[in-house]
Amino acid sequence: MSKKKKIKRKLLDKYKLVILNENTFEERLSLKLTRLNVFVIGCLITIILSVTVFTIIAYTPLKEYIPGYSSTALKQKATDLSYKTDSLTQVILMNERYFESIRKVLKGDVSPEDFNKDSIIQATQVEASKVDFAPSAEDSLLREKVDKEDKYNLFESATSATNFVLFPPVNGQITSDYDVKTKHYAVDIAVAKDTPVKAVADGVVVFAGWTASTGYVIILEHSYGLISVYKHNSSLSKAQGDLVKSGEVIASAGDSGELSTGPHLHFELWNDGYPINPTNFIDFNE
């Protein structure tokens, strides 16, 4: 008998599977099987179980309990944390640049290359009296609309930038003008010692302390990206973090610091990191 016939015979030979009662030997169930049938049925059961397990793992939350799989909520949290980390990195970078600009203001080592020369020179040449502040037709219509809306508003939420007025820190004669060429980004006003120095606008004290070259210095941060700097004071009336109102006394004028040649106020104005000429916005004359 050939080998192929032997294999075929083994696959097709019929067997009887009998299930008996152990006590009475009564036949309960009998099945006629062949090896081929058993193999086919086994393969079908294996395939069905594999498909069922794959479906449960791939399309149900049970896959989260299998090592190597991460939950959807965990992935969402990881994505949110990634976005927040990137945002915080940008905020930290902006703060570092902001503090670096303040440090340069304190040390007085700002270089003209740090800002747009043309815009600064143009700002020094513009006189406030030559600027046309008359509102346009569109501006008048917008103001009228906003006034009507705010008339019945229970909360005061609208603030016009045109009402932002700078208060003279001191009154006196200017002894040294704002000069970009000599890197003197300030005006020096001669005053008597211990003259009250006042805040030019509402703001918060971001620095109040002593430097060797400029003595007692106080820096205020105001709205619209404006920073005011007051140097060579004899004493300070406010500390870092204090809130101040426009016209409130923040220091007393003096001649402290190595660079001072007499009682005066060294006053600077900065807007979004760029120095501007204070005389374009403030009248220091008595």
Side-chain angles (χ1 to χ4, degrees), residues 263-277:
H264 73 285
L265 174 65
H266 177 99
F267 177 72
E268 303 175 14
L269 271 182
W270 295 73
N271 183 249
D272 291 332
Y274 299 101
I276 56 179
N277 189 348

Side-chain angles (χ1 to χ4, degrees), residues 98-99 102 106 203-210 217-221 236-244 250:
Y98 176 75
F99 292 131
I102 293 180
L106 292 174
V204 60
V205 180
V206 294
F207 178 83
W210 166 270
V217 179
I218 185 168
I219 301 177
L220 305 183
E221 182 180 12
L236 303 178
S237 304
K238 299 293 181 180
Q240 183 175 351
D242 289 345
L243 298 176
V244 298
I250 58 175

Side-chain angles (χ1 to χ4, degrees), residues 158-195:
T159 302
S160 175
T162 58
N163 295 328
F164 187 76
V165 180
L166 297 181
F167 190 91
V170 293
N171 292 113
Q173 183 180 359
I174 296 178
T175 58
S176 182
D177 293 322
Y178 178 93
D179 192 352
V180 177
K181 295 181 180 179
T182 60
K183 299 183 181 180
H184 188 257
Y185 308 114
V187 290
D188 293 338
I189 306 100
V191 293
K193 189 176 181 181
D194 294 330
T195 298

Side-chain angles (χ1 to χ4, degrees), residues 1-13 35:
M1 184 179 293
S2 63
K3 186 175 182 181
K4 291 182 178 181
K5 290 182 178 181
K6 289 182 179 180
I7 295 175
K8 184 177 180 182
R9 182 178 176 181
K10 286 182 179 181
L11 292 175
L12 297 178
D13 283 347
R35 292 181 179 180

Side-chain angles (χ1 to χ4, degrees), residues 8-276:
K8 184 177 180 182
R9 182 178 176 181
K10 286 182 179 181
L11 292 175
L12 297 178
D13 283 347
K14 294 182 179 181
Y15 298 89
K16 187 174 183 180
L17 177 63
V18 180
I19 298 177
L20 301 175
N21 189 321
E22 185 177 2
N23 296 324
T24 62
F25 295 101
E26 179 184 358
E27 184 177 331
R28 294 291 187 179
L29 179 65
S30 64
L31 296 174
K32 294 182 178 180
L33 302 172
T34 63
R35 292 181 179 180
L36 181 61
N37 290 341
V38 174
F39 177 76
V40 172
I41 293 173
C43 291
L44 289 175
I45 293 174
T46 303
I47 293 173
I48 292 172
L49 288 176
S50 300
V51 172
T52 303
V53 172
F54 175 79
T55 302
I56 293 174
I57 293 176
Y59 300 102
T60 65
L62 290 176
K63 64 181 179 181
E64 297 177 6
Y65 298 97
I66 300 177
Y69 284 92
S70 58
S71 65
T72 304
L74 184 61
K75 289 182 178 179
Q76 184 63 37
K77 288 182 179 179
T79 303
D80 294 341
L81 288 175
S82 177
Y83 287 134
K84 290 181 180 179
T85 302
D86 182 68
S87 300
L88 289 174
T89 302
Q90 296 297 325
V91 172
I92 292 173
L93 181 61
M94 292 177 63
N95 287 337
E96 288 178 351
R97 291 178 179 175
Y98 176 75
F99 292 131
E100 179 65 18
S101 64
I102 293 180
R103 185 189 66 81
K104 290 184 178 180
V105 173
L106 292 174
K107 296 181 66 177
D109 59 355
V110 181
S111 173
E113 287 76 12
D114 294 338
F115 50 86
N116 190 334
K117 298 180 182 179
D118 295 334
S119 62
I120 301 301
I121 295 175
Q122 184 179 4
T124 60
Q125 297 174 349
V126 175
E127 294 295 338
S129 60
K130 297 180 181 179
V131 179
D132 184 13
F133 292 102
S136 61
E138 294 81 1
D139 184 61
S140 300
L141 292 174
L142 178 60
R143 288 173 182 271
E144 183 179 358
K145 180 180 179 180
V146 172
D147 289 340
K148 290 181 179 179
E149 291 178 352
D150 290 343
K151 183 177 181 180
Y152 303 102
N153 191 355
L154 296 178
F155 303 97
E156 184 180 357
S157 58
T159 302
S160 175
T162 58
N163 295 328
F164 187 76
V165 180
L166 297 181
F167 190 91
V170 293
N171 292 113
Q173 183 180 359
I174 296 178
T175 58
S176 182
D177 293 322
Y178 178 93
D179 192 352
V180 177
K181 295 181 180 179
T182 60
K183 299 183 181 180
H184 188 257
Y185 308 114
V187 290
D188 293 338
I189 306 100
V191 293
K193 189 176 181 181
D194 294 330
T195 298
V197 178
K198 303 174 183 178
V200 296
D202 297 348
V204 60
V205 180
V206 294
F207 178 83
W210 166 270
T211 64
S213 58
T214 55
Y216 286 104
V217 179
I218 185 168
I219 301 177
L220 305 183
E221 182 180 12
H222 311 283
S223 304
Y224 312 110
L226 189 68
I227 292 179
S228 57
V229 183
Y230 315 76
K231 297 182 179 180
H232 301 302
N233 300 288
S234 61
S235 63
L236 303 178
S237 304
K238 299 293 181 180
Q240 183 175 351
D242 289 345
L243 298 176
V244 298
K245 291 291 185 179
S246 177
E248 185 177 357
V249 176
I250 58 175
S252 297
D255 60 348
S256 61
E258 298 175 356
L259 300 180
S260 179
T261 57
H264 73 285
L265 174 65
H266 177 99
F267 177 72
E268 303 175 14
L269 271 182
W270 295 73
N271 183 249
D272 291 332
Y274 299 101
I276 56 179

